[in-house]
Amino acid sequence: MDQVILRHVTKRFTTKTLGDIVAVDDFNLSVHEGECFSFLGPSGCGKSTTLRMIAGFEDLSEGEIELCGRPVSIKEKNLYVPPEERGLGMVFQSFAVWPHMNVFDNVAFPLQIQKVNKTEIAQRVKEAMKHTSLTGLEEVFPSDLSGGQQQRIALARAIVTQPKVMLLDEPLSNLDPKLRETMRFEIKELQRKFNFTIIFVTHDQSEAMAISDRMMVCDMGKIMQIDTPENLYNRPNSRFVHSFLGESTFLNVVLQDGKVYAEGDVEHPLDLEIPGDADRRMVVATRPNSIDLAGPDGEGYPTKIKKRIFLTDRTEYLVPIGSQTLKIQVPHRISFAEGDACKVRFVSPMWYPAEDEAAEKERQRRQLV
Ligand code: ATP
Protein backbone atom coordinates (compact mmCIF):
# COMPACT_ATOMS: atom_id res chain seq x y z
CA MET A 1 0.00 0.00 0.00
CA ASP A 2 1.15 3.53 -0.72
CA GLN A 3 1.30 5.48 2.53
CA VAL A 4 2.11 8.93 1.23
CA ILE A 5 0.60 10.07 -2.05
CA LEU A 6 1.08 13.47 -3.66
CA ARG A 7 -1.08 14.36 -6.65
CA HIS A 8 -0.30 17.47 -8.68
CA VAL A 9 1.05 19.22 -5.60
CA THR A 10 2.14 22.77 -6.35
CA LYS A 11 3.29 25.57 -4.06
CA ARG A 12 3.80 29.17 -5.13
CA PHE A 13 5.39 31.85 -2.98
CA THR A 14 5.55 35.57 -3.47
CA THR A 15 9.07 36.61 -2.58
CA LYS A 16 10.36 40.13 -1.98
CA THR A 17 13.25 39.90 -4.43
CA LEU A 18 12.08 37.45 -7.10
CA GLY A 19 8.35 38.09 -7.24
CA ASP A 20 6.28 34.93 -7.72
CA ILE A 21 8.19 31.68 -7.54
CA VAL A 22 6.97 28.12 -8.07
CA ALA A 23 8.77 26.38 -5.22
CA VAL A 24 7.10 23.01 -5.92
CA ASP A 25 5.77 22.43 -9.42
CA ASP A 26 3.22 19.67 -9.99
CA PHE A 27 4.74 16.95 -7.79
CA ASN A 28 3.31 13.47 -8.24
CA LEU A 29 4.74 10.69 -6.12
CA SER A 30 3.86 7.68 -3.97
CA VAL A 31 5.85 6.38 -1.04
CA HIS A 32 5.26 2.70 -0.23
CA GLU A 33 4.69 1.22 3.21
CA GLY A 34 7.96 0.53 5.07
CA GLU A 35 10.02 2.34 2.46
CA CYS A 36 12.81 4.82 3.14
CA PHE A 37 12.31 7.52 0.52
CA SER A 38 14.64 10.51 0.26
CA PHE A 39 14.12 13.96 -1.20
CA LEU A 40 17.45 15.03 -2.59
CA GLY A 41 18.50 18.18 -4.42
CA PRO A 42 20.43 21.42 -4.15
CA SER A 43 19.43 24.26 -1.89
CA GLY A 44 16.18 25.89 -3.01
CA CYS A 45 14.89 22.93 -5.06
CA GLY A 46 11.74 22.56 -2.96
CA LYS A 47 12.55 19.62 -0.65
CA SER A 48 11.64 21.26 2.65
CA THR A 49 8.54 22.94 1.25
CA THR A 50 7.28 19.54 0.08
CA LEU A 51 7.97 17.99 3.46
CA ARG A 52 6.26 20.90 5.24
CA MET A 53 3.17 20.41 3.07
CA ILE A 54 3.10 16.70 3.95
CA ALA A 55 3.48 17.59 7.63
CA GLY A 56 0.69 20.17 7.36
CA PHE A 57 2.82 23.21 8.26
CA GLU A 58 2.26 24.68 4.83
CA ASP A 59 -0.93 24.76 2.76
CA LEU A 60 -0.87 23.80 -0.93
CA SER A 61 -1.45 26.16 -3.85
CA GLU A 62 -2.83 23.23 -5.86
CA GLY A 63 -3.17 19.47 -5.63
CA GLU A 64 -3.82 16.92 -2.91
CA ILE A 65 -1.99 14.79 -0.33
CA GLU A 66 -3.09 11.46 1.10
CA LEU A 67 -1.54 9.83 4.20
CA CYS A 68 -2.18 6.17 5.00
CA GLY A 69 -5.27 6.11 2.79
CA ARG A 70 -6.73 9.31 4.23
CA PRO A 71 -6.87 12.66 2.37
CA VAL A 72 -5.18 15.33 4.53
CA SER A 73 -4.91 18.22 2.05
CA ILE A 74 -7.16 18.82 -0.95
CA LYS A 75 -6.84 22.36 -2.21
CA GLU A 76 -9.90 22.22 -4.44
CA LYS A 77 -12.16 21.18 -1.56
CA ASN A 78 -10.39 23.39 0.98
CA LEU A 79 -9.66 20.28 3.03
CA TYR A 80 -6.76 20.73 5.44
CA VAL A 81 -5.98 18.46 8.40
CA PRO A 82 -3.71 20.22 10.96
CA PRO A 83 -0.25 18.73 11.73
CA GLU A 84 -1.20 17.31 15.15
CA GLU A 85 -3.98 15.25 13.55
CA ARG A 86 -1.86 13.75 10.77
CA GLY A 87 -0.30 11.07 12.99
CA LEU A 88 3.26 11.66 11.76
CA GLY A 89 6.56 11.37 13.60
CA MET A 90 8.95 14.22 12.87
CA VAL A 91 12.59 14.95 13.46
CA PHE A 92 13.72 18.26 12.02
CA GLN A 93 17.14 19.84 12.09
CA SER A 94 15.66 22.93 13.71
CA PHE A 95 13.25 20.94 15.87
CA ALA A 96 15.51 21.00 18.91
CA VAL A 97 14.75 19.22 22.14
CA TRP A 98 13.25 21.32 24.91
CA PRO A 99 16.09 22.46 27.19
CA HIS A 100 13.91 23.06 30.26
CA MET A 101 12.67 19.46 30.37
CA ASN A 102 14.66 16.38 31.31
CA VAL A 103 15.01 13.52 28.83
CA PHE A 104 12.01 11.59 30.17
CA ASP A 105 9.70 14.60 29.90
CA ASN A 106 10.98 15.45 26.43
CA VAL A 107 10.15 11.97 25.19
CA ALA A 108 6.86 11.76 27.11
CA PHE A 109 5.57 15.14 25.90
CA PRO A 110 3.64 14.01 22.78
CA LEU A 111 1.87 11.34 24.86
CA GLN A 112 0.95 13.86 27.57
CA ILE A 113 -0.61 16.05 24.87
CA GLN A 114 -2.61 13.02 23.71
CA LYS A 115 -3.72 12.52 27.35
CA VAL A 116 -2.37 8.97 27.50
CA ASN A 117 -2.51 7.60 31.09
CA LYS A 118 0.62 7.77 33.28
CA THR A 119 1.31 4.04 33.45
CA GLU A 120 1.21 3.70 29.69
CA ILE A 121 3.37 6.80 29.24
CA ALA A 122 6.02 5.35 31.58
CA GLN A 123 6.00 2.07 29.71
CA ARG A 124 6.14 3.57 26.21
CA VAL A 125 8.84 6.12 27.10
CA LYS A 126 10.94 3.33 28.63
CA GLU A 127 10.60 1.34 25.42
CA ALA A 128 11.42 4.31 23.15
CA MET A 129 14.46 5.18 25.28
CA LYS A 130 15.67 1.61 25.19
CA HIS A 131 15.55 1.55 21.37
CA THR A 132 17.44 4.83 21.09
CA SER A 133 20.14 3.87 23.65
CA LEU A 134 19.04 6.51 26.16
CA THR A 135 18.19 4.20 29.07
CA GLY A 136 19.55 5.59 32.34
CA LEU A 137 19.44 9.22 31.18
CA GLU A 138 15.79 9.86 32.18
CA GLU A 139 16.58 12.60 34.71
CA VAL A 140 19.35 14.29 32.71
CA PHE A 141 18.78 17.65 30.98
CA PRO A 142 19.59 17.87 27.24
CA SER A 143 22.29 20.53 27.73
CA ASP A 144 24.39 17.91 29.56
CA LEU A 145 24.25 15.55 26.56
CA SER A 146 26.16 15.33 23.28
CA GLY A 147 24.70 16.36 19.90
CA GLY A 148 24.16 12.72 18.99
CA GLN A 149 22.35 12.00 22.26
CA GLN A 150 20.17 15.07 21.77
CA GLN A 151 19.21 13.89 18.31
CA ARG A 152 18.37 10.49 19.84
CA ILE A 153 15.95 12.27 22.19
CA ALA A 154 14.25 13.79 19.14
CA LEU A 155 14.10 10.32 17.58
CA ALA A 156 12.71 8.76 20.77
CA ARG A 157 10.10 11.52 20.97
CA ALA A 158 9.10 10.75 17.39
CA ILE A 159 8.82 6.95 17.78
CA VAL A 160 7.02 7.07 21.13
CA THR A 161 3.77 7.93 19.33
CA GLN A 162 4.21 4.85 17.13
CA PRO A 163 3.70 6.73 13.86
CA LYS A 164 3.25 4.92 10.55
CA VAL A 165 5.18 7.63 8.73
CA MET A 166 8.29 9.45 9.95
CA LEU A 167 9.46 12.73 8.42
CA LEU A 168 13.17 13.44 8.87
CA ASP A 169 14.44 16.82 7.64
CA GLU A 170 18.26 16.94 7.60
CA PRO A 171 18.25 15.26 11.03
CA LEU A 172 21.96 14.51 10.97
CA SER A 173 23.38 17.69 9.51
CA ASN A 174 24.56 19.10 12.85
CA LEU A 175 26.53 15.97 13.73
CA ASP A 176 30.14 15.12 12.94
CA PRO A 177 30.73 12.68 10.02
CA LYS A 178 31.43 9.61 12.18
CA LEU A 179 28.34 10.11 14.28
CA ARG A 180 26.24 10.75 11.18
CA GLU A 181 27.16 7.31 9.93
CA THR A 182 26.27 5.65 13.25
CA MET A 183 22.96 7.50 13.47
CA ARG A 184 22.10 6.58 9.88
CA PHE A 185 22.50 2.94 10.82
CA GLU A 186 20.44 3.41 14.00
CA ILE A 187 17.61 5.05 12.07
CA LYS A 188 17.52 2.08 9.68
CA GLU A 189 17.50 -0.30 12.65
CA LEU A 190 14.58 1.56 14.22
CA GLN A 191 12.75 1.41 10.93
CA ARG A 192 13.27 -2.35 10.74
CA LYS A 193 11.99 -2.79 14.30
CA PHE A 194 8.94 -0.55 14.03
CA ASN A 195 8.31 -0.86 10.29
CA PHE A 196 7.47 2.79 9.76
CA THR A 197 7.79 4.58 6.44
CA ILE A 198 10.49 7.24 6.28
CA ILE A 199 10.67 10.39 4.21
CA PHE A 200 14.17 11.73 4.56
CA VAL A 201 15.22 15.17 3.34
CA THR A 202 18.87 15.86 2.67
CA HIS A 203 21.18 17.65 0.28
CA ASP A 204 23.93 15.10 1.04
CA GLN A 205 23.94 12.58 -1.79
CA SER A 206 26.05 9.92 -0.10
CA GLU A 207 23.78 10.02 2.94
CA ALA A 208 20.69 9.65 0.75
CA MET A 209 22.31 6.79 -1.20
CA ALA A 210 23.19 4.94 1.99
CA ILE A 211 19.81 5.18 3.66
CA SER A 212 17.22 5.11 0.86
CA ASP A 213 15.23 2.44 -0.90
CA ARG A 214 14.23 5.05 -3.47
CA MET A 215 15.03 8.70 -3.92
CA MET A 216 13.51 11.68 -5.63
CA VAL A 217 16.03 14.08 -7.12
CA CYS A 218 14.58 17.53 -7.67
CA ASP A 219 15.85 20.77 -9.11
CA MET A 220 14.27 24.23 -9.16
CA GLY A 221 10.89 23.01 -7.99
CA LYS A 222 10.69 20.13 -10.45
CA ILE A 223 11.00 16.36 -9.97
CA MET A 224 13.92 15.30 -12.15
CA GLN A 225 13.90 11.54 -11.46
CA ILE A 226 12.57 9.01 -8.95
CA ASP A 227 14.32 5.66 -8.69
CA THR A 228 16.55 3.41 -6.57
CA PRO A 229 19.99 4.83 -5.65
CA GLU A 230 21.61 2.30 -7.99
CA ASN A 231 19.47 3.20 -11.01
CA LEU A 232 19.85 6.91 -10.39
CA TYR A 233 23.62 6.51 -10.35
CA ASN A 234 23.86 4.13 -13.29
CA ARG A 235 21.03 5.46 -15.45
CA PRO A 236 20.57 9.17 -14.73
CA ASN A 237 17.98 10.61 -17.11
CA SER A 238 19.54 14.09 -17.29
CA ARG A 239 22.85 15.84 -17.08
CA PHE A 240 21.65 17.39 -13.81
CA VAL A 241 21.02 14.03 -12.09
CA HIS A 242 24.29 12.68 -13.49
CA SER A 243 26.27 15.55 -12.00
CA PHE A 244 24.38 15.57 -8.72
CA LEU A 245 25.11 11.93 -7.85
CA GLY A 246 28.75 10.92 -7.65
CA GLU A 247 31.61 12.32 -9.67
CA SER A 248 31.03 13.15 -13.32
CA THR A 249 33.12 13.89 -16.35
CA PHE A 250 31.38 15.77 -19.17
CA LEU A 251 32.65 16.31 -22.67
CA ASN A 252 31.04 18.71 -25.16
CA VAL A 253 30.95 17.08 -28.57
CA VAL A 254 29.96 18.05 -32.10
CA LEU A 255 28.41 15.56 -34.54
CA GLN A 256 29.56 15.94 -38.13
CA ASP A 257 29.25 13.60 -41.15
CA GLY A 258 28.21 10.72 -38.93
CA LYS A 259 31.22 11.14 -36.65
CA VAL A 260 31.69 12.49 -33.13
CA TYR A 261 34.34 15.13 -32.40
CA ALA A 262 35.32 16.69 -29.10
CA GLU A 263 34.86 20.46 -29.23
CA GLY A 264 38.10 22.02 -30.44
CA ASP A 265 39.36 19.00 -32.43
CA VAL A 266 37.80 18.24 -35.83
CA GLU A 267 40.67 15.94 -36.85
CA HIS A 268 40.40 12.98 -34.49
CA PRO A 269 36.91 11.51 -34.19
CA LEU A 270 35.97 9.73 -30.97
CA ASP A 271 35.07 6.07 -31.16
CA LEU A 272 31.46 6.46 -30.00
CA GLU A 273 28.15 5.07 -31.19
CA ILE A 274 25.76 7.95 -31.88
CA PRO A 275 22.28 7.62 -30.36
CA GLY A 276 19.35 7.96 -32.78
CA ASP A 277 17.96 11.19 -31.35
CA ALA A 278 21.26 13.11 -31.09
CA ASP A 279 21.44 16.81 -32.03
CA ARG A 280 24.49 18.43 -33.61
CA ARG A 281 25.85 19.53 -30.24
CA MET A 282 25.68 17.09 -27.35
CA VAL A 283 27.32 16.31 -24.02
CA VAL A 284 28.88 12.91 -23.44
CA ALA A 285 28.85 12.01 -19.76
CA THR A 286 30.63 9.37 -17.78
CA ARG A 287 32.29 8.72 -14.41
CA PRO A 288 36.01 9.43 -14.05
CA ASN A 289 36.54 5.75 -13.24
CA SER A 290 34.70 4.53 -16.37
CA ILE A 291 37.20 5.72 -18.95
CA ASP A 292 39.89 3.43 -20.36
CA LEU A 293 43.37 4.89 -20.22
CA ALA A 294 45.94 3.03 -22.36
CA GLY A 295 49.44 3.52 -23.72
CA PRO A 296 50.04 5.02 -27.19
CA ASP A 297 49.64 1.56 -28.80
CA GLY A 298 46.23 1.05 -27.25
CA GLU A 299 42.83 2.02 -28.64
CA GLY A 300 41.13 5.39 -28.38
CA TYR A 301 41.66 9.10 -28.73
CA PRO A 302 45.38 10.05 -28.87
CA THR A 303 46.49 12.61 -26.29
CA LYS A 304 49.02 13.26 -23.51
CA ILE A 305 48.92 13.24 -19.72
CA LYS A 306 48.68 16.85 -18.52
CA LYS A 307 48.62 16.23 -14.78
CA ARG A 308 48.94 13.27 -12.44
CA ILE A 309 47.35 13.44 -8.98
CA PHE A 310 47.88 10.70 -6.44
CA LEU A 311 44.70 9.96 -4.47
CA THR A 312 44.66 7.46 -1.62
CA ASP A 313 42.88 4.61 -3.43
CA ARG A 314 43.49 5.53 -7.10
CA THR A 315 45.40 7.90 -9.37
CA GLU A 316 43.75 10.79 -11.15
CA TYR A 317 44.94 12.03 -14.54
CA LEU A 318 43.94 15.23 -16.30
CA VAL A 319 44.03 14.70 -20.03
CA PRO A 320 43.21 17.22 -22.78
CA ILE A 321 40.64 16.30 -25.41
CA GLY A 322 40.22 19.05 -27.98
CA SER A 323 39.75 22.28 -26.05
CA GLN A 324 38.58 20.48 -22.88
CA THR A 325 40.25 18.59 -20.07
CA LEU A 326 39.04 15.18 -19.02
CA LYS A 327 39.31 13.82 -15.49
CA ILE A 328 40.19 10.10 -15.44
CA GLN A 329 40.66 7.94 -12.35
CA VAL A 330 42.35 4.55 -12.57
CA PRO A 331 43.81 1.99 -10.12
CA HIS A 332 47.40 2.71 -9.00
CA ARG A 333 48.73 -0.20 -11.09
CA ILE A 334 48.01 1.81 -14.28
CA SER A 335 50.76 4.38 -14.10
CA PHE A 336 51.71 7.25 -16.39
CA ALA A 337 53.99 10.23 -15.97
CA GLU A 338 53.06 13.80 -16.86
CA GLY A 339 53.78 14.33 -20.58
CA ASP A 340 53.38 10.62 -21.51
CA ALA A 341 51.47 9.87 -24.73
CA CYS A 342 48.26 7.91 -24.11
CA LYS A 343 44.91 6.90 -25.58
CA VAL A 344 41.54 7.39 -23.91
CA ARG A 345 38.28 5.59 -24.60
CA PHE A 346 34.83 6.06 -23.10
CA VAL A 347 33.10 2.93 -21.81
CA SER A 348 29.28 3.09 -22.24
CA PRO A 349 28.82 6.83 -21.77
CA MET A 350 25.48 8.63 -21.43
CA TRP A 351 24.39 11.30 -23.92
CA TYR A 352 22.62 14.54 -22.99
CA PRO A 353 21.59 17.67 -24.86
CA ALA A 354 24.16 20.48 -24.81
CA GLU A 355 24.19 22.54 -21.62
CA ASP A 356 21.19 24.71 -20.94
CA GLU A 357 22.61 28.04 -19.79
CA ALA A 358 19.21 29.52 -18.98
CA ALA A 359 18.49 26.68 -16.53
CA GLU A 360 21.87 27.15 -14.86
CA LYS A 361 21.21 30.89 -14.39
CA GLU A 362 17.77 30.22 -12.92
CA ARG A 363 19.28 27.70 -10.51
CA GLN A 364 21.80 30.23 -9.26
CA ARG A 365 19.11 32.91 -8.98
CA ARG A 366 16.94 30.69 -6.79
CA GLN A 367 19.77 29.83 -4.47
CA LEU A 368 20.24 33.52 -3.76
CA VAL A 369 16.72 34.01 -2.39
P1 ATP B 1 17.37 23.97 1.47
O1 ATP B 1 18.12 22.70 1.24
O2 ATP B 1 18.24 25.17 1.35
O3 ATP B 1 16.51 23.96 2.68
P2 ATP B 1 15.06 23.32 -0.16
O4 ATP B 1 15.30 22.44 -1.33
O5 ATP B 1 14.50 22.68 1.04
O6 ATP B 1 16.38 24.13 0.18
P3 ATP B 1 12.83 25.09 -0.01
O7 ATP B 1 13.16 25.56 1.37
O8 ATP B 1 11.71 24.14 -0.15
O9 ATP B 1 14.12 24.49 -0.70
O10 ATP B 1 12.57 26.38 -0.92
C1 ATP B 1 12.18 26.30 -2.30
C2 ATP B 1 12.04 27.70 -2.84
O11 ATP B 1 10.95 28.36 -2.22
C3 ATP B 1 13.26 28.58 -2.60
O12 ATP B 1 13.47 29.41 -3.72
C4 ATP B 1 12.85 29.39 -1.38
O13 ATP B 1 13.50 30.64 -1.35
C5 ATP B 1 11.36 29.56 -1.58
N1 ATP B 1 10.62 29.68 -0.29
C6 ATP B 1 10.54 28.72 0.66
N2 ATP B 1 9.79 29.14 1.69
C7 ATP B 1 9.37 30.40 1.37
C8 ATP B 1 8.55 31.38 2.03
N3 ATP B 1 7.99 31.13 3.21
N4 ATP B 1 8.35 32.56 1.39
C9 ATP B 1 8.89 32.81 0.20
N5 ATP B 1 9.67 31.93 -0.47
C10 ATP B 1 9.91 30.74 0.09
Side-chain angles (χ1 to χ4, degrees):
M1 181 191 161
D2 291 333
Q3 280 196 320
V4 181
I5 301 176
L6 272 65
R7 293 190 194 95
H8 302 293
V9 169
T10 295
K11 180 70 186 180
R12 283 181 282 272
F13 286 114
T14 303
T15 62
K16 278 189 193 138
T17 39
L18 292 182
D20 287 347
I21 193 166
V22 187
V24 174
D25 190 358
D26 195 22
F27 273 28
N28 290 285
L29 65 99
S30 304
V31 182
H32 315 315
E33 187 172 359
E35 187 174 38
C36 181
F37 189 100
S38 291
F39 295 173
L40 180 68
S43 186
C45 72
K47 312 178 288 287
S48 299
T49 304
T50 308
L51 199 77
R52 290 173 60 77
M53 288 192 284
I54 295 170
F57 295 136
E58 198 85 67
D59 201 3
L60 327 183
S61 303
E62 279 170 45
E64 48 188 77
I65 299 178
E66 208 175 284
L67 294 178
C68 307
R70 167 186 176 221
V72 290
S73 291
I74 303 181
K75 189 63 197 170
E76 215 173 38
K77 296 187 181 161
N78 257 335
L79 176 99
Y80 167 75
V81 175
E84 62 278 13
E85 291 171 26
R86 294 192 177 205
L88 299 163
M90 296 181 218
V91 181
F92 289 171
Q93 182 191 349
S94 53
F95 213 44
V97 289
W98 292 294
H100 61 285
M101 291 184 189
N102 66 23
V103 175
F104 182 94
D105 289 336
N106 258 286
V107 179
F109 189 74
L111 300 179
Q112 285 160 354
I113 297 281
Q114 288 176 7
K115 307 243 178 314
V116 175
N117 74 56
K118 276 195 171 160
T119 324
E120 192 177 339
I121 289 181
Q123 199 265 325
R124 279 166 66 177
V125 170
K126 189 175 166 201
E127 189 77 354
M129 290 186 60
K130 186 180 98 187
H131 289 299
T132 46
S133 311
L134 289 169
T135 305
L137 299 173
E138 288 79 358
E139 304 298 325
V140 179
F141 282 84
S143 55
D144 293 331
L145 295 173
S146 69
Q149 284 169 320
Q150 293 194 25
Q151 204 53 309
R152 282 198 185 99
I153 302 175
L155 268 174
R157 195 172 53 193
I159 61 171
V160 81
T161 58
Q162 297 163 350
K164 290 206 161 57
V165 179
M166 187 81 94
L167 306 182
L168 307 176
D169 190 356
E170 304 260 7
L172 311 178
S173 59
N174 290 333
L175 308 178
D176 67 62
K178 192 111 189 81
L179 193 55
R180 283 175 86 123
E181 219 178 297
T182 314
M183 291 295 291
R184 232 187 255 163
F185 182 72
E186 288 180 13
I187 289 171
K188 287 296 273 186
E189 275 304 299
L190 284 174
Q191 185 190 22
R192 254 188 286 276
K193 254 176 226 149
F194 295 96
N195 195 36
F196 45 72
T197 304
I198 292 180
I199 298 186
F200 191 90
V201 168
T202 179
H203 61 264
D204 180 332
Q205 45 126 334
S206 52
E207 188 159 284
M209 294 269 219
I211 204 167
S212 316
D213 298 304
R214 284 190 307 148
M215 316 196 286
M216 166 180 82
V217 182
C218 42
D219 183 34
M220 294 190 290
K222 290 215 161 35
I223 296 179
M224 302 301 289
Q225 194 170 354
I226 297 177
D227 214 325
T228 59
E230 207 174 331
N231 283 345
L232 285 167
Y233 182 78
N234 290 324
R235 283 187 279 284
N237 67 2
S238 64
R239 179 187 169 133
F240 172 79
V241 175
H242 199 294
S243 67
F244 199 73
L245 295 175
E247 276 204 79
S248 297
T249 285
F250 296 115
L251 186 73
N252 295 322
V253 296
V254 182
L255 276 57
Q256 209 169 294
D257 305 325
K259 292 189 172 152
V260 187
Y261 296 93
E263 256 179 29
D265 181 357
V266 288
E267 276 179 36
H268 303 99
L270 299 162
D271 180 18
L272 290 172
E273 205 167 305
I274 304 174
D277 54 353
D279 294 327
R280 205 177 105 73
R281 293 191 170 275
M282 297 291 287
V283 173
V284 171
T286 186
R287 308 290 176 191
N289 60 4
S290 302
I291 302 173
D292 274 350
L293 181 61
D297 299 331
E299 278 181 33
Y301 178 93
T303 179
K304 276 187 177 159
I305 303 290
K306 186 165 141 191
K307 196 158 178 50
R308 176 182 196 269
I309 301 154
F310 184 84
L311 307 174
T312 47
D313 55 347
R314 59 208 185 280
T315 312
E316 182 171 291
Y317 294 96
L318 300 184
V319 172
I321 291 207
S323 55
Q324 301 158 78
T325 301
L326 214 58
K327 190 202 277 183
I328 305 176
Q329 292 171 354
V330 291
H332 291 314
R333 67 185 153 74
I334 301 171
S335 183
F336 289 87
E338 288 179 10
D340 278 358
C342 63
K343 295 257 178 82
V344 296
R345 202 169 58 88
F346 287 84
V347 184
S348 332
M350 309 287 295
W351 291 73
Y352 301 114
E355 196 163 11
D356 183 351
E357 278 178 31
E360 187 49 40
K361 277 196 184 132
E362 175 61 16
R363 186 174 304 120
Q364 284 170 6
R365 191 176 81 106
R366 283 177 180 241
Q367 284 169 15
L368 293 176
V369 181

